[in-house]
Amino acid sequence: MDIGVLNFVTDYSMRPADLAMALEERGFESLWVPEHTHIPASRRSPWPGGPDLPREYWHSMDPFVALGAAAAVTSNLKLGTGICLIVERDPIITAKEIATLDMISNGRFMFGIGGGWNAEEMDNHGTNFRRRFRLLRERILAMKAIWTEDEAEFHGDFVDFDKIWSYPKPVQKPHPPIFMGGDGPTTFDRVVEFCDGWMPIARGAGQEGVLTEKIALLRKQAEEAGRDPKSLPVSLCIFGPPGEDLVPRMEEAGVDRLILNLPSDERDKVLPILDYYAALIP
């Protein structure tokens, strides 16, 4: 069982380079950072986590700049987006950013993606909320072409370009692993078609039964599509307080990686929490 940490790195919290060094020193496997380019002040879209949106959502740093800083001061810590809102990003630019980050980290990047929940945030980027998953699919397929082909081209309904040259290519072959976030009725369709793993969220305890059933469904769907279920690991984000028996319970449920939520706070408040989390590492 791998143990990672998810953190909204912000302008008021522990800096990403300092956090990354602290994680590597304690033996954590990975650091994951979320993404929101902004939060519209209207606050029309309800936050799935509750009635009050935490302020780190509109104070978060750019994930690739933050992870670049983390890569520069670590050697083994894996670095991931949890999640990247590709529906708000240009795929050609993002493909280059990821390939660059994978190169400077010597192949340590992991690409967590999702459709997002904030309709007006997407609208500011010109993205239609109802068509976001169709857009996500095309952008990911286009980026995979850019990463793996010397002269990539893509022609879809939302992404369209003739042959291009784009370097560097990622260190990881054929490309960094892609983890699909979310837990909707069609999430597994996307995981099986164009991803390399599933990244669900648990906001409380006692979800092992449901999680076990869903992992079994994912593996069944993968087999039916001709994919090896073992090639689609499950990385579970835990937003509630972890208990001492969390690791064995999640292992039994079929989880491959635990990602523990770390509050956006200053160093003196973050490090004791990291020490507590580190005690869970097998």
Side-chain angles (χ1 to χ4, degrees):
M1 172 75 74
D2 292 318
I3 307 290
V5 164
L6 182 144
N7 181 244
F8 273 92
V9 287
T10 70
D11 54 340
Y12 57 81
S13 61
M14 191 173 178
R15 292 293 183 262
D18 295 334
L19 176 60
M21 288 188 290
L23 290 171
E24 189 162 85
E25 289 169 359
R26 287 162 176 77
F28 287 94
E29 181 251 1
S30 52
L31 167 64
W32 302 77
V33 297
E35 174 177 43
H36 281 279
T37 59
H38 68 291
I39 295 294
S42 67
R43 290 295 300 113
R44 289 194 304 271
S45 290
W47 176 49
D52 299 319
L53 183 71
R55 67 170 180 154
E56 57 259 30
Y57 276 75
W58 61 93
H59 282 265
S60 57
M61 295 183 181
D62 177 272
F64 296 109
V65 176
L67 291 175
V73 295
T74 55
S75 301
N76 301 308
L77 187 72
K78 293 183 179 180
L79 309 162
T81 50
I83 55 148
C84 172
L85 290 170
I86 188 62
V87 296
E88 299 178 359
R89 286 180 157 269
D90 178 274
I92 298 175
I93 293 174
T94 306
K96 181 176 285 286
E97 287 180 325
I98 289 173
T100 302
L101 178 56
D102 200 53
M103 174 167 281
I104 65 173
S105 68
N106 196 27
R108 290 185 280 142
F109 179 68
M110 298 183 289
F111 191 25
I113 62 173
W117 55 270
N118 196 314
E120 55 269 27
E121 177 184 351
M122 294 178 206
D123 187 58
N124 289 344
H125 287 279
T127 294
N128 183 299
F129 185 76
R130 293 187 177 183
R131 293 200 295 264
R132 68 193 187 282
F133 285 113
R134 291 172 57 199
L135 175 65
L136 179 146
R137 176 182 178 274
E138 285 198 8
R139 287 184 176 175
I140 292 298
L141 294 178
M143 291 169 65
K144 291 173 85 167
I146 293 170
W147 290 330
T148 59
E149 299 172 15
D150 289 332
E151 293 187 344
E153 65 178 307
F154 191 89
H155 303 286
D157 295 328
F158 304 96
V159 181
D160 186 72
F161 55 84
D162 292 325
K163 290 183 178 180
I164 63 171
W165 298 327
S166 179
Y167 289 84
K169 303 297 184 185
V171 171
Q172 299 179 81
K173 303 301 179 188
H175 52 72
I178 303 170
F179 294 85
M180 186 72 221
D183 191 13
T186 58
T187 297
F188 291 166
D189 294 343
R190 291 182 282 276
V191 173
V192 171
E193 182 190 0
F194 54 81
C195 294
D196 306 292
W198 180 39
M199 183 183 291
I201 291 175
R203 297 191 181 275
Q207 302 183 36
E208 294 91 329
V210 174
L211 188 61
T212 300
E213 292 177 3
K214 290 182 177 179
I215 292 174
L217 288 174
L218 172 60
R219 290 173 175 168
K220 182 174 184 257
Q221 188 167 336
E223 288 180 345
E224 291 173 348
R227 292 198 64 177
D228 180 1
K230 294 181 180 179
S231 70
L232 297 172
V234 176
S235 300
L236 177 65
C237 299
I238 300 285
F239 278 82
E244 294 181 357
D245 62 341
L246 179 66
V247 171
R249 287 192 291 110
M250 292 299 101
E251 283 183 329
E252 186 174 353
V255 174
D256 301 281
R257 174 186 290 112
L258 281 175
I259 304 172
L260 306 177
N261 183 49
L262 189 68
S264 299
D265 220 324
E266 297 176 356
R267 183 185 187 90
D268 60 342
K269 295 182 179 179
V270 166
L271 292 184
I273 299 174
L274 281 186
D275 290 336
Y276 173 72
Y277 286 175
L280 301 174
I281 299 175

